[in-house]
């Protein structure tokens, strides 16, 4: 049989798609359902658009960028950033442990970080990756739950550390399954100090 064409490009690792290449992906999990499209504008720079939703309770439109800093035959490292504006189904004063508590997101969110990935020499070698980011969440309508706390500020900034450990498993020249698990370490007193995450999905390079 003819040799298999290698599957080397995904959406979640450190290697960019390359100039002129496009990819799409979708993930289903907790707490998010996500979809995204990515296009390689330069050889080492991808730009993308996507949407995250907490099953309709929160929907966020997000823009993303991935710049590959290191790309060898087996190891890739990239600087990544994404962010956008979130729309919540319920106002903050009516929520207890709803979409804001689960997602850690607020009105505007920016998450820069680094992602490193590895892939073996086989055409269908799986691609494990580690994604570490700092989430900065801007709350434009903070509420004061302490009756003696005074008037809340006009806006509030909180930071979290997001850690994802996952892998893409190629099943063809352009398509891979994706699995991710991890957690968010949060500083906001009204949120859980640690929120686990889990997702499964599929990614594909279009051209």
């Amino acid at each position: 049989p003819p040799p298999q064409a290698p599957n080397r490009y995904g959406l979640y690792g450190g290697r960019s798609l390359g100039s002129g290449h496009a990819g799409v992906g979708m993930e289903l999990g907790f707490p998010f359902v996500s979809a995204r499209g990515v296009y390689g504008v330069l050889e080492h720079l991808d730009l993308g658009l996507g949407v995250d939703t907490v099953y309709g309770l929160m929907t966020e439109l997000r823009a993303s960028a991935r710049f590959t800093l290191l790309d060898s035959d087996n190891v890739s490292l990239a600087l990544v950033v994404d962010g956008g504006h979130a729309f919540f189904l319920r106002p903050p004063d009516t929520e207890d442990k709803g979409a804001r508590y689960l997602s850690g997101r607020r009105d505007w969110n920016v998450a820069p970080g680094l992602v490193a990935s590895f892939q073996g020499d086989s055409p269908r070698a799986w691609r494990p990756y580690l994604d570490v980011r700092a989430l900065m969440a801007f709350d434009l309508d903070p509420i004061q739950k302490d009756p003696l706390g005074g008037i809340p500020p006009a806006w509030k900034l909180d930071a979290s550390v997001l850690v994802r450990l996952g892998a893409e498993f190629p099943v063809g020249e352009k398509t891979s399954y994706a699995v991710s698990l991890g957690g968010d370490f949060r500083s906001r007193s009204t949120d859980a100090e640690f929120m686990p995450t889990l997702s499964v999905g599929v990614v594909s390079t279009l051209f």
Side-chain angles (χ1 to χ4, degrees):
Q4 291 180 324
N7 182 324
R8 296 292 181 187
Y9 301 103
L11 298 189
Y12 304 112
R15 176 179 291 147
S16 64
L17 294 176
S19 179
H21 295 282
V24 293
M26 186 171 184
E27 292 181 292
L28 175 67
F30 174 84
F32 296 108
V33 176
S34 303
R36 67 173 64 185
V38 175
Y39 183 76
V41 296
L42 298 173
E43 192 61 30
H44 295 291
L45 176 63
D46 297 339
L47 298 180
L49 293 174
V51 59
D52 290 350
T53 178
V54 184
Y55 296 88
L57 299 177
M58 183 280 298
T59 301
E60 183 177 12
L61 304 177
R62 299 178 69 81
S64 65
R66 173 174 60 176
F67 181 73
T68 299
L69 303 171
L70 169 67
D71 188 16
S72 67
D73 291 339
N74 302 112
V75 178
S76 300
L77 175 68
L79 175 66
V80 291
V81 61
D82 65 359
H85 182 49
F87 302 89
F88 294 89
L89 187 63
R90 300 178 60 184
D93 56 351
T94 65
E95 274 194 0
D96 183 15
K97 294 185 177 180
R100 292 170 177 82
Y101 177 85
L102 292 173
S103 68
R105 310 276 176 89
R106 293 303 187 265
D107 299 287
W108 290 94
N109 308 278
V110 181
L114 292 170
V115 55
S117 59
F118 174 85
Q119 185 170 18
D121 298 323
S122 168
R124 297 291 182 268
W126 59 297
R127 293 185 294 269
Y129 67 87
L130 174 64
D131 189 329
V132 180
R133 307 197 189 197
L135 171 65
M136 292 171 284
F138 297 85
D139 191 348
L140 303 185
D141 190 24
I143 61 173
Q144 179 60 264
K145 292 190 174 182
D146 184 357
L148 301 179
I151 299 175
W155 63 279
K156 190 173 184 293
L157 170 63
D158 291 285
S160 305
V161 176
L162 317 181
V163 180
R164 304 287 185 270
L165 181 63
E168 295 172 321
F169 300 89
V171 293
E173 180 182 352
K174 297 183 177 182
T175 303
S176 305
Y177 294 125
V179 177
S180 170
L181 57 88
D184 301 349
F185 300 86
R186 301 176 181 168
S187 62
R188 190 181 294 110
S189 60
T190 56
D191 287 2
E193 293 183 2
F194 175 77
M195 178 64 67
T197 65
L198 173 66
S199 67
V200 295
V202 61
V203 300
S204 182
T205 304
L206 299 180
F207 49 83

